[in-house]
């Protein structure tokens, strides 16, 4: 094929990418109302929208089939985490995609032990690897080169996720094997940084190294603050309005704290003078130091009907010494499963590279 033919092909590919982005934009403009209703009433509405936007972003740089395939690989990986969490009885949010960064889910309650954390973390790479292998088999059987490349990317993403570095899946699996793997993650992370030349991965590695330093060398306690604003109708306040505190008023409030049967820690506090009886959930177990009022304001300012009280809850994260207690047999099972999955991914990547598909790799 001549040089002019290659240019025409590249030009067509570029036009098709921008055509797809334009089509997505037109769809959002014409179907905006329906899409808003879908997002409002569907649990996976925002997942669908973030997937669509991510495919559009990738399609600007890569061929459309490749962009769709990679996003599906990431989606299936996240579904593995969702399924593992459901097996353990933990509620999680639907996956959310961030173009060129990946996707994430959030647990509504933290695991109570390292084995549960590792189980949920392992679910993503396991299901993601199976999806990559299925794509590889289909690509080889039907001789679809771009699908083989998608399977390679799927294997690569799952292999990177198995690095024993927080907050990657491998860092969470390591807690049920041995935390000494985190040191291997520090060394392996440097190799990956040099190979990928990724600023984002370097930041991730640096934050993990700083976390280990703070926790095991400096032994600094984790201090946290969570905030909330509580509104009280003015007509329910049992004091004349001219007795109400000013906007910059600050004070500490009496509080009690307890854990629910679901393992959620709640903090209850009150300011009896104005009739404030607040309740808030901590994002993690902790030792509450104080509850403090930092701001008081009328809501809204032009025609106030309520008093808004902004409170801070200061606490120290509780380090459960028994969290990392895992039976030796369970440690061995996770260790073997971890090693087998990593070996399978590396082997698959080596075999795919031997197929000489360089001309199909996205540039």
């Amino acid at each position: 094929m001549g040089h002019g033919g290659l240019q025409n092909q590249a030009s067509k590919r570029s036009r098709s990418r921008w055509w797809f982005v334009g089509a997505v934009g037109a769809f959002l403009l014409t179907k905006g109302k329906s899409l808003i209703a879908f997002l409002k009433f569907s649990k996976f509405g925002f997942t669908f929208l973030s997937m669509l936007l991510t495919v559009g972003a990738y399609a600007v740089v890569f061929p459309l089939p490749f962009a769709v395939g990679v996003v599906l690989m990431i989606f299936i990986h996240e579904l593995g985490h969702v399924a593992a969490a459901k097996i353990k009885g933990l509620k999680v949010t639907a996956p959310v995609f961030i173009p060129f960064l990946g996707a994430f889910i959030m647990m509504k309650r933290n695991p109570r032990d390292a084995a549960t954390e590792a189980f949920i973390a392992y679910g993503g790479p396991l299901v993601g690897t199976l999806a990559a292998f299925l794509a590889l088999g289909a690509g080889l059987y039907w001789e679809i080169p771009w699908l083989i490349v998608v399977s390679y990317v799927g294997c690569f993403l799952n292999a990177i996720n198995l690095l024993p570095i927080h907050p990657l899946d491998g860092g969470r699996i390591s807690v049920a094997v041995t935390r000494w793997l985190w040191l291997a993650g520090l060394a392996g992370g440097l190799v990956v940084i040099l190979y990928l030349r990724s600023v984002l991965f370097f930041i991730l590695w640096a934050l993990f190294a700083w976390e280990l330093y703070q926790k095991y060398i400096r032994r600094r306690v984790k201090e946290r603050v969570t905030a909330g604003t509580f509104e009280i109708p003015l007509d329910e306040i049992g004091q004349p309005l001219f007795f109400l505190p000013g906007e910059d008023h600050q004070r500490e409030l009496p509080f009690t704290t307890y854990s629910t049967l679901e393992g959620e820690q709640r903090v209850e506090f009150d300011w009896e003078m104005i009739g404030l009886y607040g309740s808030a959930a901590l994002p993690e177990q902790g030792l509450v130091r104080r509850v403090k009022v930092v701001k008081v304001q009328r809501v809204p300012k032009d025609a106030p009907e309520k008093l808004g009280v902004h409170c801070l809850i200061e606490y120290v994260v509780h380090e459960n010494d028994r969290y990392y207690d895992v039976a030796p047999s369970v440690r061995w099972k996770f260790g073997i499963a971890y090693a087998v999955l990593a070996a399978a991914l590396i082997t698959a990547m080596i075999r795919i590279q031997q197929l000489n598909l360089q001309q199909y790799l996205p540039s």
Side-chain angles (χ1 to χ4, degrees), residues 5 49 57 75 84 92 118-119 124 141 159-161 169 176 253 276 283 293 295:
L49 178 59
F75 180 62
V92 296
F119 183 85
Y141 183 80
I160 289 294
N161 257 292
D169 297 329
L253 301 178
L276 169 63
V293 175
K295 191 174 185 179

Side-chain angles (χ1 to χ4, degrees), residues 198-209:
S198 169
V199 175
L200 178 64
F201 197 88
F202 171 76
I203 294 173
L204 188 72
W205 178 89
L207 289 174
F208 175 63

